[in-house]
Amino acid sequence: MAQPSRVQLNDGRSIPQLGFGVWLVPPESTEQVVAEALRTGFRAIDTAEGYGNEQGVGTAIRHSDIDRSEIYVTSKLRNGAHAYDEALKAFDRTMAALDLDVLDLFLIHWPVPAQDKYVEAWRALIQLQNDGRVRSIGVSNFNTEHLERIIGETGVVPVINQVELHPRYQQRALRAFHARHDIRTESYSPLGHGKDISNPIIGKIAEKHARTPAQVIIRWHLQQDLIAIPKSVTPERIRENFAALDFELDQEDMRQIERLDDPQGRISGNPATSNDLF
């Protein structure tokens, strides 16, 4: 079975390029779903305190026969805990729920600009990394202006910005900024909440390669050096998603998918205006 390549980060560490996301996976089934992902071959699991399922992720890891050193775990700081001391307390809650000694990657979930505390939150993450409690630190849903501010005020560049990215919303300008600053782009909702799967162009490419539309889209992410974290609760689809490692799209396939980009294709909230304190 092919294994995902590892992507180098700007702090000298690396992350598996293909991971498994658990957004909207019910807490009562998270352990079973993550266990299936691990059995399939996934070695990177992405969760968040705001998802309410960190405990299930930790239990699945603890009960697996895979050495902890082989599993890359990401979690995120909830939006209501950006104040410095609150961020440190939130991290303690995450670690207690996951039952881990050290976290591989911790992200600020959203900038929440109206609250205007994301720089303070970033300073807390820097401290956690300096204390050896988390190996790498990054952000999620940050626009260019948010990135420029935290870098300018702290001098510390995130290793990753995890953002909504899929064929109908390709975030090219933001990715160009990432490339200039050696920030890796990680795609959440890489299948466009499932909507991109029904696109006829994706369907034709899938037919051509005798693959599923989901596999074509995941492969598109991987061939652009993006990190992708597809989610599914169905064992068959979990295995299908992982099998995107086993084939390649040609240049014409990539060009056709590139043309699907729509500046209005965003599905999730806009980081410039999203201020929910979940």
Side-chain angles (χ1 to χ4, degrees):
M1 180 187 297
Q3 285 295 315
S5 299
R6 293 188 73 95
V7 173
Q8 289 299 126
L9 303 176
N10 64 32
D11 62 0
R13 300 186 181 276
S14 65
I15 181 174
Q17 190 182 11
L18 180 61
F20 185 78
V22 297
W23 179 56
L24 295 182
V25 175
E28 63 273 14
S29 58
T30 300
E31 179 185 353
Q32 178 183 351
V33 169
V34 172
E36 181 63 36
L38 292 171
R39 281 193 295 270
T40 297
F42 284 96
R43 292 295 180 267
I45 309 296
D46 181 276
T47 184
E49 184 180 8
Y51 299 168
N53 56 19
E54 288 174 316
Q55 187 171 356
V57 170
T59 303
I61 291 170
R62 197 163 57 252
H63 290 171
S64 80
D65 58 2
I66 302 164
D67 191 270
R68 166 68 183 96
S69 65
E70 297 181 27
I71 303 174
Y72 193 100
V73 184
T74 300
S75 195
K76 308 178 194 74
L77 176 69
R78 69 181 317 129
N79 290 357
H82 279 196
Y84 187 88
D85 288 342
E86 289 303 313
L88 298 181
K89 291 175 185 175
F91 183 80
D92 287 340
R93 289 194 300 270
T94 281
M95 297 304 281
L98 290 168
D99 193 20
L100 298 177
D101 295 325
V102 181
L103 189 65
D104 296 290
L105 176 63
F106 198 43
L107 309 177
I108 300 175
H109 208 152
W110 290 80
V112 197
Q115 187 177 223
D116 196 26
K117 292 181 180 177
Y118 61 89
V119 177
E120 190 175 348
W122 186 236
R123 293 189 191 279
L125 266 64
I126 294 168
Q127 186 62 53
L128 288 166
Q129 186 180 38
N130 288 340
D131 290 343
R133 303 194 65 198
V134 59
R135 295 187 175 98
S136 297
I137 54 174
V139 295
S140 179
N141 296 296
F142 272 45
N143 289 341
T144 300
E145 61 269 24
H146 307 128
L147 292 166
E148 288 176 331
R149 186 174 172 198
I150 63 170
I151 295 167
E153 293 194 26
T154 70
V156 178
V157 180
V159 298
I160 274 173
N161 187 16
Q162 185 187 113
V163 295
E164 178 187 345
L165 202 157
H166 45 83
R168 287 181 305 111
Y169 192 62
Q170 298 182 23
Q171 298 262 40
R172 293 181 195 172
L174 183 60
R175 285 159 58 192
F177 179 91
H178 291 169
R180 290 195 299 273
H181 292 270
D182 198 16
I183 300 168
R184 289 294 184 171
T185 305
E186 185 170 36
S187 309
Y188 75 73
S189 298
L191 305 179
H193 291 199
K195 294 182 180 179
D196 289 6
I197 289 173
S198 60
N199 185 285
I201 291 173
I202 299 287
K204 286 180 181 177
I205 296 171
E207 248 180 72
K208 169 182 167 182
H209 292 278
R211 295 285 178 157
T212 68
Q215 288 172 331
V216 167
I217 295 170
I218 293 168
R219 189 70 214 174
W220 172 79
H221 285 273
L222 300 181
Q223 288 184 211
Q224 294 186 96
D225 294 325
L226 300 169
I227 302 161
I229 47 170
K231 179 217 86 173
S232 179
V233 297
T234 308
E236 182 181 0
R237 288 180 182 166
I238 291 171
R239 291 190 290 270
E240 282 181 359
N241 289 346
F242 194 75
L245 297 170
D246 292 338
F247 77 110
E248 287 195 6
L249 300 173
D250 61 36
Q251 290 184 352
E252 180 56 28
D253 299 332
M254 298 294 286
R255 278 193 290 268
Q256 288 187 58
I257 297 173
E258 185 178 331
R259 295 187 194 113
L260 300 179
D261 191 20
D262 178 1
Q264 306 304 314
R266 185 193 296 276
I267 299 169
S268 300
N270 185 339
T273 56
S274 183
N275 293 295
D276 294 341
L277 295 181
F278 63 85

